[in-house]
Amino acid sequence: CMSTTGAQECMKKTAENCLDCQWTGSMCMANTPAPSTATCMSFSQSDCLDCTMMNGMCMSMSGAQGCMSKTNADCIKCKWMGSIMNGMCMPDMTTPAPPTTCMNFGENECFDCKMLNGKCMSTTGAQECMKKTAENCLDCQWTGSMCMANTPAPSTATCLSFSQNDCLDCMMMNGKCMSMTGAQGCASRTTWTCLDCQWTGSMCMASTPAPSTKTCMSFKQSECLDCKMMNGKCMSTTGAQGCSGRSSDSCLSCQWMGSMCMSTSSTPVPGANSCVSFNESECADCMMMGGKCMSMSGDTRCDGRAADECVECKWDGGMCMPTGAPPSGGGGSKMVMTFYQGVDVVILFDTWAVSSPGVYVVALLLTAIVSCGTSLLKEYTMKAAHHIALRIALMFVATALSYCVMLIAMTYNTGLFFSVITGLTAAWTVIEYKRLEDERPTFTS
């Protein structure tokens, strides 16, 4: 991918992002030459140049100076054909014409057309779409003064756009488009056209499984299989025999991860891979930056990974987990029995989950304050001897807070544990100082 004006950023782009664009005031638009009524045959030999509009200027790819003085209407790509005396200026056909875009259409040609089952049709019933060829069958809409693409997405491919021969069960696996049933047509597809489809009577539809209340986590290790509905039957992609007798609601694609059965399709990002699919040697903190998979910590394992494999992961408790997940035992249902360090922790309730350094510091301060306040409250309760009702109420509150402080310490998070100890120590210091002050003898003259 290169730039005709020498822009270095083009070399970093992929084939899908390598587009000819120009900035027009407030938005990036396709760099299409303005409509022209001039023809190459109207030029003399000295004016017969290979001119092209680039960034709003008429320029020549071969460096001809005469292009810069031409107007938009005269800026066309020409070539002198024949001898000097008897030759003629003709259109330069050495390069293919630019692909058709919505901006090439006038208002009477601007419709929401899509290829459905090999035919150009409109989702709103516009009859003009049926007259268009495959190249001109674009999904467009008229926006005030120009025809624009309906969707900014890099691809408008859906299962409905495939004919019966192209309707395959394709899926991205390890950066490649593959078929679960061995269909050969998937291998040549791009990321955007690698869709899981099936032919249903007269059209190609997305192959979506029936809604199910079962999850992979409900299976034990012997039942944790990679099953999938194919041609109305539950089958295994690896030949496991246990899938054949399953109903559609229990036909799930699962794999055993450490100590539980996990879904192979539960991905946090587009693609076929998630952190749980990586082993310890592949578990890295990767991120897409500038179209490339890189690591903020300089981990070279991220280099060369496809977009669907470029996810932020960390190795925790014998399993590769997303970096935003709470540590194994630090939160959730698994109880940890050893001290650990980190900002990822759940305090008392699932909704009180801490995952950022700023919130973690606030949690440490509040824990120390509650711990200190609980001890001081107990001390005050013991001295409120003449107010029985007040003592009962304060004792109830103090006891509840004491057990909450104990449970916070039992998260085994090092920072929270020392916050509890700091609060208790501060409370003891205040109580002892007050006791010593009360016991100090007073002298009167």
Side-chain angles (χ1 to χ4, degrees):
C1 184
M2 301 180 68
S3 167
T4 54
T5 57
Q8 299 298 318
E9 288 76 6
C10 290
M11 299 180 70
K12 305 174 185 176
K13 293 193 174 186
T14 61
E16 291 79 11
N17 296 330
C18 190
L19 305 174
D20 187 10
C21 307
Q22 61 178 339
W23 188 259
T24 56
S26 60
M27 65 177 67
C28 189
M29 302 288 289
N31 192 11
T32 54
S36 171
T37 56
T39 61
C40 292
M41 295 178 67
S42 64
F43 295 143
S44 61
Q45 185 176 359
S46 59
D47 293 329
C48 192
L49 306 172
D50 57 331
C51 303
T52 305
M53 286 298 296
M54 290 184 287
N55 297 326
M57 299 177 63
C58 187
M59 301 178 69
S60 168
M61 296 294 289
S62 60
Q65 300 298 318
C67 292
M68 299 182 67
S69 61
K70 290 193 176 187
T71 62
N72 289 359
D74 295 333
C75 191
I76 53 180
K77 197 173 182 69
C78 304
K79 185 177 182 180
W80 189 261
M81 307 291 289
S83 62
I84 297 177
M85 297 299 295
N86 299 318
M88 183 180 298
C89 188
M90 299 292 289
D92 189 356
M93 305 301 292
T94 56
T95 56
T100 302
T101 64
C102 290
M103 296 183 67
N104 295 123
F105 297 143
E107 185 173 3
N108 60 342
E109 301 172 318
C110 192
F111 300 103
D112 55 331
C113 304
K114 288 183 180 179
M115 290 299 294
L116 301 175
N117 300 326
K119 296 180 180 180
C120 186
M121 301 178 69
S122 167
T123 55
T124 57
Q127 299 297 319
E128 288 78 1
C129 291
M130 300 180 67
K131 305 173 186 176
K132 292 191 176 187
T133 61
E135 292 76 13
N136 295 331
C137 192
L138 305 176
D139 188 8
C140 308
Q141 61 178 342
W142 187 258
T143 57
S145 59
M146 65 178 67
C147 189
M148 301 288 290
N150 240 338
T151 53
S155 171
T156 55
T158 61
C159 290
L160 285 168
S161 63
F162 296 139
S163 62
Q164 186 172 3
N165 293 334
D166 295 329
C167 193
L168 308 172
D169 59 328
C170 303
M171 186 180 296
M172 289 300 295
M173 291 183 285
N174 298 324
K176 296 181 179 180
C177 187
M178 302 177 67
S179 168
M180 291 295 191
T181 56
Q184 300 298 318
C186 295
S188 59
R189 293 191 177 181
T190 63
T191 305
W192 310 111
T193 56
C194 190
L195 305 176
D196 188 7
C197 308
Q198 60 179 345
W199 188 260
T200 56
S202 59
M203 64 178 64
C204 188
M205 301 289 290
S207 181
T208 53
S212 173
T213 55
K214 274 189 172 291
T215 62
C216 290
M217 296 180 69
S218 63
F219 295 138
K220 56 187 179 182
Q221 187 170 2
S222 60
E223 299 171 332
C224 193
L225 307 173
D226 56 332
C227 305
K228 185 181 180 183
M229 291 299 294
M230 290 183 284
N231 298 323
K233 296 181 180 180
C234 186
M235 302 177 67
S236 169
T237 56
T238 57
Q241 300 299 317
C243 295
S244 58
R246 292 190 178 182
S247 58
S248 58
D249 63 334
S250 59
C251 190
L252 305 175
S253 181
C254 310
Q255 59 180 340
W256 191 259
M257 293 289 183
S259 60
M260 65 178 67
C261 188
M262 302 289 288
S263 172
T264 58
S265 60
S266 58
T267 55
V269 294
N273 292 298
S274 63
C275 292
V276 294
S277 65
F278 296 136
N279 56 36
E280 187 172 3
S281 62
E282 298 170 332
C283 194
D285 58 328
C286 305
M287 184 184 298
M288 288 299 294
M289 290 181 286
K292 295 182 178 180
C293 187
M294 302 176 68
S295 170
M296 296 295 288
S297 60
D299 197 326
T300 57
R301 290 178 293 178
C302 299
D303 298 344
R305 285 193 181 182
D308 62 328
E309 296 177 315
C310 193
V311 287
E312 293 184 75
C313 309
K314 63 178 179 181
W315 189 259
D316 178 63
M319 185 184 299
C320 190
M321 301 291 289
T323 54
S328 61
S333 58
K334 186 179 177 182
M335 183 67 179
V336 68
M337 299 301 293
T338 56
F339 282 103
Y340 70 94
Q341 297 179 359
V343 300
D344 297 316
V345 63
V346 178
I347 303 175
L348 298 179
F349 303 100
D350 288 337
T351 54
W352 292 4
V354 179
S355 59
S356 64
V359 179
Y360 183 68
V361 171
V362 174
L364 295 180
L365 294 175
L366 291 177
T367 300
I369 292 171
V370 172
S371 177
C372 178
T374 302
S375 294
L376 294 177
L377 182 60
K378 280 187 176 181
E379 182 69 15
Y380 177 78
T381 302
M382 298 300 295
K383 293 182 178 181
H386 302 294
H387 302 83
I388 301 300
L390 178 61
R391 289 186 64 181
I392 293 174
L394 292 178
M395 180 57 69
F396 179 86
V397 174
T399 303
L401 291 176
S402 296
Y403 276 98
C404 287
V405 170
M406 179 191 70
L407 292 173
I408 292 175
M410 290 181 64
T411 61
Y412 287 90
N413 182 277
T414 306
L416 291 176
F417 178 80
F418 280 107
S419 290
V420 171
I421 302 302
T422 301
L424 294 175
T425 304
W428 181 87
T429 303
V430 172
I431 294 171
E432 283 298 301
Y433 179 80
K434 183 68 169 59
R435 185 181 64 80
L436 292 175
E437 284 291 318
D438 293 341
E439 294 177 355
R440 180 178 298 176
T442 57
F443 299 95
T444 58
S445 56

